[in-house]
Amino acid sequence: MASDRIHYQNSIASRQSPFSDGISLSSCLSSRSSSHDDLNQFLDTMRQADDSAASRNVLEDLSHNQWKAGLEAAPACHNPKTSTRECSANCDKGPATSVDADDKKDKAIVVPLKQWIDDEESKARHFDLNCQRNLQQASIIRKITIGFGIGKLLQQVSQQQESPISHYSWSQLQSLCSIDNFAVESVDEGFLSESGWEVRGVFMIAPFLSVQIDACSSTSCTPSRIDNNDGMTGRNLVATIVSTSPPVCVNTARPDTSECDFMLCHLLGVLLHFLFAGSRSEHITGRGAPKDDRDNDPSRVDVIKVNEPSMKKKSADFFRLDERSGFCNEPIYERENPYPTVRSVDFSHAISIAGHGSGADHSSHTRGPQDNARLSPLKDLGYPTSLSQLITNLVHCSLALFRPDDSYPSLDVAINDMQIMLQKPQLFLSLDPPSTVNAFMGSGQLYGRSNEIAAVTNAYCRVATSGITEAIFVSGFSGCGKTRLVHSIFESVNVAGGYTVTQKFDEMQSSSPLTVVLSAFNELCNLVAQSSSETCLMEIYEKLASAIGAPNLAFLTRILPNARRLLPSHITLPQLNSQAGINFNRLCFTIQHLMRAISSSSKVALLFLDDLQWADAMSLKLVQGVLSDVRGLNCLLFVGGFRENEVDQGHVLLEFFHALSASEVSSSVIRLNGISANDVNSMISDTLGVFPRLCKDLSDVVFRKTNGNPFFTLEFLRSLITHNLVRYSLRDKCWKWNLNEINAENITDNVLHLLTRKMNVLSESNQTALKVASCFGSIISIDIVRKLSSTSKYSSLQTKLDETAVKEGFMDRDDASYRFVHDKVREAAYGLIVDKEQYHFDLGVALQSVGGAIFAAANQINRGPLPLLHDDSRRISIVHLNYEASTKPMDCSDFTAAYSYLNSAVSLLPHDSWTTDYDLALKCHFQLAKAAYGCGQAKRAQQICEEIIESGKCLEDTLETYSLLVSMICLARKDLPLAFKTCLKVLNLLGEDIPDDVVDINPTVNEVKMFVQNTSYEYLLAMVDETSSRKISVMEFYNHLVTVSFLVKPRRICHYYVARWASFCLTHKVACKYTPGALVSFGSMLSRDLDEDAKLACRISKAGMMMLSRNDTAMIQQLPVVYSAHYMWVGSLTEPIQSAAAMSKHAYEIGMQTGNLSHAAFNLSIMLARLLYAGTNLLKLKNDLEVHLKSAKQHSQFILLANLVKILEVVSNLIGDEEAKSSLYPETIRQTDEDFQFTFEMFSSFYLGHTERVHYKSKLWEKLEDSEQRKVPLHFIHTAFFSGIASFRLYSYGRKDSQIHIKVLAKSLSILEKASQFSEWNFKNKYLLLNATYLSITDKKFNAENEFRAAILASRASKFVHEEGLACELAAMHHVKRDNNAVALSLFRQAKACYKTWGSRVKEVHISSLIDSIQE
């Protein structure tokens, strides 16, 4: 066989042409140097030859030998100098890539088309029955590929200007389309991973052209890459026309289609018919398929579906062809022969063109119509209907005036249809009739959304590249394809190694939207655990443990159970009490750190939350907190879908958008409208498996009805099928419809009406199943279905869902749940319910009766007519149900859900419940107050607390409520006077006689001081944890009282309450979580002056800090409060300032972890101020400040924001930034604490060299006797230091009042001497520097120089680089004054290096100018 393909008989090759011009066929074919002009001249001569034996011999020559020329010319196709023309069927797409490897191209062989057909038939006879179907499909794909290539070649010939196709005679057209004029290049099946795509090219001999065909795939061709159950995969074909002749002048401005074009289509159809029918083509008698009575039986569901295009012109059964032109002039109608034929002489020409009877005698042209051979439709041979339709429409092109409307107008359209079949073989080349369930579902691809898909894909790539979180929102009406658009990129994300998580807010689950968000993160944890190695999981654990600590790890596993899979199995987590989950800020903090730990640029997470219009403020706030995390790169792409028409002014979603914008989260909106008429045409084409051109009239009607809504389009088409207006004919194997009937039929253009109409024809039990499922939202779990099925009322629920809801396409099922295919389907099913409230109530009662479905039962019952329920026993049982259902949401900080359950519970309590069901009423009301506060309803929470206090039987029952009222509600509402009065009231009720005012606090303070002086550390640390709830309550309300009085009362009153608090703690030996706060607060009060009281303060404050170090969860929650007091006062006086900053940072982190944002903010301010005093690199400090500024703005912490802005302004001035950062937040400057602002302005003025300003501010400082900032040790010590150095400079400048400057310097020196006794690390270098300046101005030269050197060394030892630079600068000034310029120059250079390390470009420039002045 192979030798037949590549070897040729010398005897045939040596034959001479019978023509007088003497051109040798063998020389034309065998000589590599022979030009194509010679070959074309020879072929033209052959076209004009008589039909004689000699010419037939030469034709035999041609059919056997011309392939050698083709084979020898084939390499020229790859010559870059040859003329090529790209004819990609998807020329507007991106670059394609070849499916097969390049090294397989050399395995290709070229054989004559006729020989290829014979080989293909030979293979078919040896098909194994088990694999015959797949092989037949592969054979069809190969043949269509060849037809596609032939069409491209004919198209190229028809576009030539040098030899227009309109000048071709009928015989020339026949020769052009002869089977002997083509060859096929293909590879062996063994070299391909998928059968069917072996054809690599087609050759045309006269004129010599070839087309290279690549079956390609690329990202731009995604819609064509569709897999189906038959295993057929669509491909795009890229065709490259190659010619070894000079470049052909292509007629780009073609005239109107000529009749020759139609005949070219006709001859292509005849050729394709033989290509598929092969040896059976000449034996077909034109029989039709047997009639199937089912075709006319509308009651049969399997005989639905639709279309044979309407024809404005009636197709003739037979047509006579003009013997000269080959065109039909006269129709002959024969009802029993429904297929067009040609007269025997012309059909013989057609057969000769197709390769049969090429040597027969065609001299007799007198045979009658009764001898006509007929081309039967290929569908009668078992080929797909679309293929048969294509060839029939091509053959019909010869019918001239009687040409049907569905015949092809040009080769371009036919080639496009062949490309469509190859792109989507599972839709157009299926060997089975369409099924009743899947026929209307189409190909499953998206239509008209390529730009939107690209936008989402590009966003994912940006996140993967930059690591910066982005948000995309997809809006549009219901049914426009929002969900399917996002899901379309899931496969690509998974292949890239990312995570895809999708959750959906539900209208029927509006009471617990936060659960949807938590479920998404819980599923993400599961995906991470499944795909990560043990090493990766250990890294995740280490990140989480170091960032949030063990208590928050326990909290994380409570709210996200799958998070436990991320932790090592041997890790034991602490137990959390019921109060651990009452802080939403803690929830946000924990989820933020989870995302930091598990995501990376190689593991980007795509989180899709659909139907955001049903989300609430709390769930969106959690999402916003994760997206706007300023401390890490979460590598998260958030996609949200929502119905724009259901989001009105004031909707929480608009606030969410604003919050993201304010947080500088990159976000964009994709708005989906209806798809275009062409896209609807493509959708219906794919749905029915009909070429787009043939269903254009139907798609136009559907588009007008649906406005291009994709879901409505499919449902409307389904409705047409259901009403038998579009039906599939088993007899004719095609779809049929009648536009007049469709337009006349009164079919609604509302999709809900369509769905409702379909559901109404179902049986009552089937409708009940759909109604029950719709009450639970878009999804109903199988567990719920089984529980309901166990009741007598809903016993057939699961059966009906499986038999009807799933099979009819209303719902899908997986292992865990049933899911409505679309929200509109659920809405239609829900609309069937008449009394919705009672229906929900009955479902809830049924679930409550079987038990185990607490949340589902409560949700259904709460939607019922509860106010009309008069059965007290039933009401009480529902109260217990709702209280139990609220427990888990409270633990997970889902206060919205908890509030919904508890509000229902309280509403059902009897009016006399405080008497008849006291305990139940007490716990329900108290939990409702906490949930209301968690939801942001402070006023409602206060009302509930007041009701509890009024109705409580005893003080013990109301203490928790009082505490909640003070610590959460009153402070949150800024009702501080009420909070103060409440604290006094409770303490007095607890036996503490507390006045609201006091004149002399010294007796109480001295009493505590005496007790502390006579008490050892061992006594304090040996105090056993208190068990008396009453004593603990006293300590708790003292804590509240001190906090409130600090804000609303004079300092002496606050100090009195602090002393009373410490006194109660020490005298009663109360060790609880409030004890460290009492001791540290008293120590802070005593540390305001650098005297003996300050030393006592250090002792008692140290004892409080040691008690705080106990490993107790309750103590940890108090850590931010205690640290803020200690490191504001005593800690900064006694501990290295760098250590104090580190501990304040730790307190800030604990505050964020526990959700105590107010004290976290206070600790953050302390930390940053200490870092500035410690000489931290200014550029690093600036970056940290900018991060914290964003965080403070996100949490609306305006006092913190003002403090940070002031510090940032100081840092920016020292660095030398021209743009002051405070201009970004000008509105916050007004809220900065006056003393805080004063302190940092003095710091900035001092280092910027504004000596007069520092001197002036130091005078103002003396007047701030009552200021708390005036008494903060670190502040007034630094102020004294700045004032003393400023006085030295003014004295050196020779200003007036020199004696005053000496006095100020001496006073500052005294303060620093006392301070250095508390901490040499913090203050010894400052004392030495002040002493050096004092000695310098008192002319004690040598002592001054020694002190300057000591100050430099002390600053270096304490790592205060800025103060080391200051000491070098002042020492240099001392030497300049004494004309020691060499020493001064060296010291100035040291100072410059120090300031450079600090990051102050302003000081660098200043010192450089001083150096230049000395050198000059």
Side-chain angles (χ1 to χ4, degrees):
M1 184 70 69
S3 61
D4 291 339
R5 295 172 182 166
I6 60 176
H7 298 294
Y8 307 95
Q9 298 177 4
N10 294 331
S11 60
I12 297 178
S14 62
R15 293 179 182 175
Q16 300 294 318
S17 172
F19 302 104
S20 58
D21 55 14
I23 298 176
S24 169
L25 174 62
S26 59
S27 64
C28 287
L29 298 179
S30 61
S31 174
R32 291 288 299 240
S33 61
S34 61
S35 68
H36 277 73
D37 292 337
D38 294 337
L39 179 58
N40 290 332
Q41 180 183 356
F42 172 78
L43 293 174
D44 289 340
T45 305
M46 289 299 302
R47 294 189 186 101
Q48 299 170 5
D50 293 333
D51 189 12
S52 61
S55 65
R56 288 198 301 273
N57 290 336
V58 175
L59 285 172
E60 288 183 10
D61 243 3
L62 185 63
S63 64
H64 287 287
N65 289 282
Q66 61 189 190
W67 306 112
K68 186 174 182 180
L71 284 169
E72 293 174 344
C77 299
H78 305 283
N79 190 331
K81 296 181 180 180
T82 59
S83 174
T84 62
R85 178 174 176 232
E86 294 292 336
C87 299
S88 171
N90 286 298
C91 58
D92 59 334
K93 305 291 185 180
T97 58
S98 178
V99 172
D100 300 310
D102 292 338
D103 59 354
K104 296 175 183 177
K105 291 183 178 180
D106 59 351
K107 305 296 183 181
I109 58 175
V110 180
V111 297
L113 177 57
K114 181 178 178 182
Q115 181 65 50
W116 187 92
I117 295 173
D118 293 340
D119 291 348
E120 197 74 8
E121 289 188 351
S122 177
K123 294 177 185 178
R125 288 192 291 270
H126 297 89
F127 279 168
D128 186 337
L129 293 178
N130 294 329
C131 62
Q132 184 172 1
R133 182 183 186 84
N134 290 337
L135 293 175
Q136 183 180 2
Q137 291 170 343
S139 177
I140 292 174
I141 290 176
R142 286 192 292 269
K143 292 177 180 180
I144 296 177
T145 305
I146 293 173
F148 172 82
I150 294 174
K152 282 291 184 181
L153 292 172
L154 295 177
Q155 183 186 51
Q156 179 72 6
V157 172
S158 69
Q159 293 175 351
Q160 295 179 121
Q161 283 186 339
E162 293 182 351
S163 180
I165 193 69
S166 59
H167 295 174
Y168 277 51
S169 66
W170 169 243
S171 60
Q172 287 176 319
L173 289 176
Q174 288 178 313
S175 298
L176 183 67
C177 298
S178 169
I179 194 172
D180 291 324
N181 200 32
F182 297 97
V184 178
E185 180 184 11
S186 63
V187 296
D188 190 271
E189 297 178 17
F191 293 103
L192 294 178
S193 59
E194 185 177 7
S195 179
W197 304 100
E198 295 85 357
V199 176
R200 291 300 184 82
V202 178
F203 290 83
M204 176 186 286
I205 303 304
F208 185 80
L209 292 172
S210 67
V211 57
Q212 287 181 296
I213 299 174
D214 289 319
C216 69
S217 61
S218 71
T219 55
S220 62
C221 303
T222 299
S224 67
R225 298 295 306 277
I226 305 171
D227 297 334
N228 77 326
N229 296 331
D230 294 333
M232 291 185 291
T233 303
R235 304 285 177 89
N236 280 327
L237 297 188
V238 176
T240 306
I241 299 294
V242 184
S243 171
T244 56
S245 60
V248 176
C249 183
V250 177
N251 182 9
T252 56
R254 299 183 62 194
D256 295 337
T257 304
S258 65
E259 288 299 323
C260 285
D261 292 323
F262 286 116
M263 277 313 301
L264 207 58
C265 290
H266 164 75
L267 294 173
L268 175 61
V270 175
L271 179 57
L272 291 180
H273 191 280
F274 180 77
L275 176 62
F276 285 93
S279 59
R280 296 176 289 175
S281 182
E282 56 186 320
H283 303 299
I284 299 170
T285 61
R287 60 190 179 277
K291 183 175 181 179
D292 190 338
D293 292 336
R294 297 177 299 170
D295 191 50
N296 298 320
D297 183 4
S299 65
R300 290 190 57 88
V301 182
D302 59 337
V303 188
I304 59 174
K305 338 286 189 218
V306 199
N307 157 54
E308 192 165 83
S310 61
M311 295 196 294
K312 299 177 182 178
K313 303 172 187 176
K314 185 176 180 180
S315 296
D317 297 314
F318 293 94
F319 293 85
R320 298 187 186 279
L321 294 184
D322 183 271
E323 296 180 8
R324 293 170 297 174
S325 66
F327 297 109
C328 296
N329 296 323
E330 177 184 356
I332 303 176
Y333 296 104
E334 293 183 13
R335 294 180 180 274
E336 67 277 9
N337 295 314
Y339 302 104
T341 65
V342 296
R343 289 184 57 190
S344 58
V345 58
D346 301 312
F347 185 74
S348 297
H349 280 292
I351 293 298
S352 69
I353 293 169
H356 282 267
S358 58
D361 184 2
H362 301 305
S363 59
S364 174
H365 295 180
T366 59
R367 300 176 184 176
Q370 67 275 13
D371 297 324
N372 287 348
R374 302 177 181 89
L375 295 179
S376 179
L378 290 182
K379 60 186 178 183
D380 293 346
L381 301 178
Y383 283 97
T385 301
S386 58
L387 178 60
S388 177
Q389 185 81 54
L390 179 137
I391 294 178
T392 300
N393 293 161
L394 284 170
V395 173
H396 280 173
C397 289
S398 67
L399 302 184
L401 298 176
F402 305 97
R403 187 180 300 119
D405 286 347
D406 57 4
S407 60
Y408 282 101
S410 67
L411 280 173
D412 297 351
V413 180
I415 292 171
N416 182 65
D417 283 353
M418 284 187 276
Q419 178 72 289
I420 289 174
M421 287 191 292
L422 294 172
Q423 286 177 340
K424 304 169 185 178
Q426 77 288 350
L427 301 178
F428 291 90
L429 299 179
S430 176
L431 300 176
D432 296 325
S435 65
T436 58
V437 176
N438 296 324
F440 69 93
M441 293 304 294
S443 62
Q445 71 181 76
L446 285 173
Y447 296 86
R449 303 300 190 201
S450 57
N451 292 335
E452 290 80 2
I453 293 175
V456 180
T457 304
N458 292 339
Y460 179 85
C461 295
R462 286 195 301 271
V463 174
T465 302
S466 65
I468 300 176
T469 296
E470 285 195 30
I472 290 183
F473 299 94
V474 184
S475 69
F477 289 88
S478 177
C480 66
K482 300 182 294 293
T483 304
R484 291 183 61 196
L485 169 65
V486 181
H487 285 179
S488 66
I489 75 164
F490 274 19
E491 182 178 357
S492 300
V493 173
N494 293 330
V495 170
Y499 306 114
T500 56
V501 178
T502 179
Q503 287 291 331
K504 178 183 178 68
F505 291 100
D506 201 314
E507 184 181 20
M508 305 306 294
Q509 303 293 334
S510 58
S511 62
S512 56
L514 184 61
T515 305
V516 175
V517 182
L518 295 179
S519 296
F521 288 112
N522 190 48
E523 175 60 22
L524 180 59
C525 291
N526 183 52
L527 294 176
V528 173
Q530 290 177 351
S531 62
S532 300
S533 63
E534 292 185 3
T535 303
C536 292
L537 291 177
M538 182 56 68
E539 291 178 358
I540 291 173
Y541 165 69
E542 291 173 353
K543 290 180 182 178
L544 287 172
S546 62
I548 65 177
N552 275 302
L553 278 177
F555 177 69
L556 177 64
T557 58
R558 172 189 284 183
I559 60 176
L560 306 178
N562 285 335
R564 192 63 180 85
R565 300 184 59 191
L566 303 176
L567 312 180
S569 58
H570 64 275
I571 297 298
T572 301
L573 299 176
Q575 296 293 325
L576 296 180
N577 57 43
S578 59
Q579 301 296 320
I582 197 171
N583 200 303
F584 182 78
N585 294 320
R586 183 183 188 183
L587 174 65
C588 292
F589 175 86
T590 306
I591 299 296
Q592 280 181 347
H593 280 272
L594 170 68
M595 291 304 301
R596 294 181 196 175
I598 65 178
S599 61
S600 65
S601 58
S602 61
K603 295 286 185 181
V604 178
L606 189 156
L607 175 60
F608 175 43
L609 297 182
D610 201 4
D611 287 330
L612 290 176
Q613 72 274 4
W614 292 322
D616 70 335
M618 186 168 291
S619 59
L620 294 178
K621 184 178 179 181
L622 176 57
V623 175
Q624 187 259 336
V626 175
L627 295 179
S628 59
D629 181 13
V630 297
R631 298 296 300 176
L633 301 179
N634 282 339
C635 295
L636 172 67
L637 175 61
F638 173 78
V639 183
F642 67 96
R643 300 179 186 176
E644 191 171 9
N645 58 308
E646 297 184 21
V647 176
D648 52 10
Q649 292 294 329
H651 196 282
V652 293
L653 191 56
L654 300 181
E655 298 178 7
F656 177 57
F657 295 157
H658 177 73
L660 289 182
S661 177
S663 302
E664 299 180 1
V665 177
S666 177
S667 58
S668 57
V669 178
I670 298 175
R671 289 180 171 83
L672 297 184
N673 298 312
I675 58 179
S676 66
N678 288 335
D679 292 323
V680 171
N681 183 222
S682 298
M683 177 185 289
I684 294 179
S685 169
D686 291 348
T687 302
L688 303 179
V690 176
F691 295 126
R693 64 185 179 84
L694 299 180
C695 59
K696 186 67 169 62
D697 53 355
L698 175 62
S699 69
D700 287 344
V701 174
V702 175
F703 179 77
R704 287 196 301 271
K705 286 282 189 179
T706 64
N707 290 324
N709 184 288
F711 177 74
F712 190 10
T713 296
L714 289 178
E715 288 301 324
F716 186 78
L717 186 57
R718 179 192 279 194
S719 177
L720 294 177
I721 294 171
T722 302
H723 292 82
N724 212 32
L725 297 176
V726 177
R727 62 189 181 279
Y728 185 77
S729 171
L730 290 179
R731 182 188 65 187
D732 296 333
K733 299 180 181 178
C734 64
W735 292 91
K736 295 183 177 180
W737 59 82
N738 188 302
L739 294 181
N740 293 330
E741 294 178 1
I742 294 174
N743 288 320
E745 185 73 13
N746 184 22
I747 299 180
T748 178
D749 56 359
N750 186 301
V751 67
L752 277 179
H753 293 170
L754 287 176
L755 293 168
T756 302
R757 186 174 177 180
K758 181 173 182 180
M759 292 177 183
N760 280 332
V761 302
L762 300 176
S763 65
E764 183 178 350
S765 59
N766 288 328
Q767 289 187 35
T768 298
L770 290 172
K771 289 189 286 187
V772 169
S774 70
C775 289
F776 292 87
S778 299
I779 303 174
I780 179 172
S781 69
I782 289 181
D783 181 58
I784 297 298
V785 172
R786 288 171 179 166
K787 289 183 182 298
L788 286 173
S789 298
S790 66
T791 64
S792 58
K793 185 173 183 179
Y794 305 103
S795 58
S796 63
L797 175 61
Q798 187 166 4
T799 302
K800 295 302 180 182
L801 286 177
D802 289 330
E803 292 181 353
T804 303
V806 175
K807 289 187 177 180
E808 288 295 324
F810 296 116
M811 303 186 77
D812 293 327
R813 176 181 174 174
D814 55 29
D815 295 337
S817 62
Y818 294 86
R819 182 190 303 267
F820 281 97
V821 297
H822 196 274
D823 286 336
K824 287 297 182 182
V825 180
R826 190 207 65 80
E827 291 176 30
Y830 192 64
L832 298 176
I833 304 174
V834 178
D835 189 349
K836 292 180 173 58
E837 287 189 351
Q838 189 62 45
Y839 208 90
H840 281 290
F841 185 81
D842 293 342
L843 280 172
V845 170
L847 284 172
Q848 187 182 18
S849 65
V850 297
I854 298 172
F855 299 106
N859 288 335
Q860 294 301 313
I861 288 176
N862 292 342
R863 287 182 172 272
L866 298 183
L868 302 180
L869 185 61
H870 301 296
D871 184 352
D872 287 345
S873 61
R874 172 67 72 183
R875 292 170 72 97
I876 293 298
S877 70
I878 297 176
V879 171
H880 283 287
L881 176 70
N882 276 284
Y883 184 82
E884 187 177 0
S886 71
T887 304
K888 184 175 180 179
M890 284 293 289
D891 290 343
C892 297
S893 300
D894 188 356
F895 302 115
T896 302
Y899 180 82
S900 177
Y901 291 126
L902 291 166
N903 196 48
S904 296
V906 169
S907 68
L908 288 172
L909 287 170
H911 296 296
D912 58 348
S913 60
W914 286 108
T915 302
T916 59
D917 294 282
Y918 177 79
D919 292 338
L920 180 62
L922 180 63
K923 68 179 184 181
C924 285
H925 279 83
F926 180 66
Q927 292 296 325
L928 179 61
K930 291 200 297 183
Y933 175 77
C935 291
Q937 302 183 43
K939 186 175 181 179
R940 169 70 169 145
Q942 182 177 347
Q943 292 173 350
I944 299 170
C945 285
E946 291 171 351
E947 181 181 354
I948 296 173
I949 292 170
E950 181 180 353
S951 303
K953 292 181 178 180
C954 60
L955 179 62
E956 284 72 14
D957 290 345
T958 58
L959 282 175
E960 283 188 307
T961 305
Y962 276 121
S963 179
L964 180 67
L965 184 64
V966 173
S967 62
M968 293 186 176
I969 299 173
C970 294
L971 291 177
R973 298 183 65 243
K974 309 300 182 184
D975 197 352
L976 299 179
L978 175 61
F980 179 77
K981 292 179 181 179
T982 302
C983 291
L984 288 179
K985 174 184 176 181
V986 174
L987 285 170
N988 282 293
L989 289 174
L990 289 170
E992 292 291 302
D993 186 13
I994 306 294
D996 59 357
D997 195 3
V998 64
V999 177
D1000 187 7
I1001 69 170
N1002 288 326
T1004 304
V1005 172
N1006 291 333
E1007 179 184 349
V1008 179
K1009 288 167 57 178
M1010 185 66 66
F1011 189 94
V1012 173
Q1013 289 173 350
N1014 298 326
T1015 303
S1016 63
Y1017 278 123
E1018 290 74 14
Y1019 175 85
L1020 296 176
L1021 297 178
M1023 289 192 299
V1024 181
D1025 291 344
E1026 185 59 58
T1027 58
S1028 171
S1029 60
R1030 193 177 187 88
K1031 290 182 180 179
I1032 294 176
S1033 296
V1034 172
M1035 292 289 290
E1036 179 182 7
F1037 280 93
Y1038 266 126
N1039 180 45
H1040 292 321
L1041 181 62
V1042 169
T1043 302
V1044 176
S1045 63
F1046 181 82
L1047 298 173
V1048 298
K1049 293 293 182 179
R1051 288 295 173 265
R1052 60 183 179 80
I1053 301 297
C1054 178
H1055 292 167
Y1056 172 75
Y1057 295 143
V1058 170
R1060 287 291 303 267
W1061 186 18
S1063 175
F1064 181 86
C1065 171
L1066 294 172
T1067 57
H1068 291 84
K1069 300 182 181 180
V1070 181
C1072 64
K1073 67 179 182 179
Y1074 302 107
T1075 302
L1079 299 179
V1080 170
S1081 296
F1082 187 74
S1084 300
M1085 184 189 73
L1086 295 178
S1087 66
R1088 283 160 172 73
D1089 293 308
L1090 299 178
D1091 52 15
E1092 293 299 320
D1093 283 352
K1095 296 180 180 179
L1096 184 63
C1098 295
R1099 185 167 179 268
I1100 191 171
S1101 187
K1102 182 179 179 180
M1105 294 296 291
M1106 293 176 67
M1107 292 190 68
L1108 189 66
S1109 63
R1110 295 180 180 181
N1111 188 17
D1112 184 273
T1113 303
M1115 290 289 190
I1116 292 177
Q1117 292 178 352
Q1118 289 296 307
L1119 187 146
V1121 180
V1122 177
Y1123 271 37
S1124 62
H1126 177 73
Y1127 289 104
M1128 183 70 180
W1129 303 91
V1130 178
S1132 297
L1133 182 64
T1134 60
E1135 299 179 29
I1137 194 169
Q1138 295 93 338
S1139 175
M1143 299 307 292
S1144 295
K1145 179 181 179 181
H1146 176 62
Y1148 161 73
E1149 293 172 345
I1150 295 297
M1152 295 298 293
Q1153 291 175 15
T1154 58
N1156 190 345
L1157 295 187
S1158 59
H1159 280 90
F1162 196 39
N1163 280 284
L1164 180 62
S1165 295
I1166 295 173
M1167 178 195 76
L1168 294 171
R1170 301 307 179 261
L1171 289 175
L1172 182 61
Y1173 283 139
T1176 304
N1177 181 268
L1178 295 174
L1179 294 175
K1180 181 179 181 300
L1181 186 58
K1182 176 188 172 186
N1183 293 334
D1184 290 342
L1185 281 164
E1186 289 175 344
V1187 171
H1188 291 301
L1189 274 169
K1190 293 180 181 179
S1191 178
K1193 190 174 182 181
Q1194 290 171 11
H1195 292 95
S1196 301
Q1197 297 171 300
F1198 297 111
I1199 296 178
L1200 172 63
L1201 187 64
N1203 293 340
L1204 296 182
V1205 166
K1206 190 59 193 176
I1207 298 176
L1208 180 59
E1209 186 179 29
V1210 171
V1211 171
S1212 299
N1213 290 335
L1214 290 171
I1215 292 174
D1217 286 353
E1218 295 181 0
E1219 298 180 1
K1221 296 302 178 181
S1222 60
S1223 62
L1224 298 175
Y1225 309 95
E1227 72 280 2
T1228 63
I1229 299 300
R1230 302 190 302 270
Q1231 303 178 22
T1232 305
D1233 183 89
E1234 182 179 353
D1235 296 339
F1236 186 91
Q1237 185 173 349
F1238 183 95
T1239 301
F1240 285 100
E1241 284 180 354
M1242 179 169 277
F1243 183 96
S1244 176
S1245 298
F1246 175 78
Y1247 278 100
L1248 291 176
H1250 302 154
T1251 306
E1252 292 281 4
R1253 188 179 304 175
V1254 173
H1255 182 66
Y1256 173 75
K1257 286 183 176 294
S1258 66
K1259 292 181 179 180
L1260 294 178
W1261 181 262
E1262 296 294 332
K1263 300 177 181 179
L1264 299 176
E1265 294 293 341
D1266 295 331
S1267 170
E1268 282 299 302
Q1269 291 290 337
R1270 170 68 178 83
K1271 293 298 185 179
V1272 174
L1274 196 64
H1275 289 173
F1276 80 77
I1277 291 172
H1278 273 85
T1279 301
F1281 175 66
F1282 298 150
S1283 177
I1285 298 298
S1287 294
F1288 164 73
R1289 286 174 170 168
L1290 291 174
Y1291 183 91
S1292 300
Y1293 298 158
R1295 303 295 172 86
K1296 296 180 180 180
D1297 301 327
S1298 58
Q1299 294 301 318
I1300 294 178
H1301 297 316
I1302 293 177
K1303 290 181 180 179
V1304 171
L1305 181 56
K1307 182 178 181 180
S1308 298
L1309 186 60
S1310 174
I1311 294 175
L1312 265 298
E1313 183 179 14
K1314 292 179 180 180
S1316 62
Q1317 296 175 4
F1318 287 91
S1319 174
E1320 288 191 359
W1321 179 282
N1322 290 339
F1323 308 115
K1324 183 62 177 292
N1325 70 303
K1326 300 176 182 62
Y1327 167 73
L1328 291 172
L1329 186 57
L1330 280 175
N1331 192 38
T1333 57
Y1334 181 79
L1335 294 174
S1336 176
I1337 63 177
T1338 56
D1339 293 329
K1340 297 180 180 180
K1341 174 182 176 182
F1342 297 105
N1343 291 335
E1345 291 176 359
N1346 291 333
E1347 288 295 285
F1348 274 124
R1349 283 194 293 269
I1352 292 172
L1353 294 175
S1355 299
R1356 188 178 302 162
S1358 297
K1359 301 180 181 179
F1360 297 151
V1361 66
H1362 60 312
E1363 292 178 356
E1364 181 185 352
L1366 176 65
C1368 292
E1369 179 185 357
L1370 296 177
M1373 292 174 61
H1374 169 80
H1375 285 281
V1376 168
K1377 186 176 181 181
R1378 288 160 177 76
D1379 296 327
N1380 296 329
N1381 289 344
V1383 177
L1385 190 61
S1386 176
L1387 288 169
F1388 275 135
R1389 287 170 178 167
Q1390 291 182 45
K1392 181 179 178 181
C1394 291
Y1395 288 137
K1396 182 177 182 180
T1397 303
W1398 187 29
S1400 176
R1401 290 194 292 267
V1402 173
K1403 293 297 295 182
E1404 279 190 75
V1405 172
H1406 173 65
I1407 298 299
S1408 295
S1409 65
L1410 295 177
I1411 292 174
D1412 293 340
S1413 64
I1414 293 177
Q1415 291 176 339
E1416 291 176 358

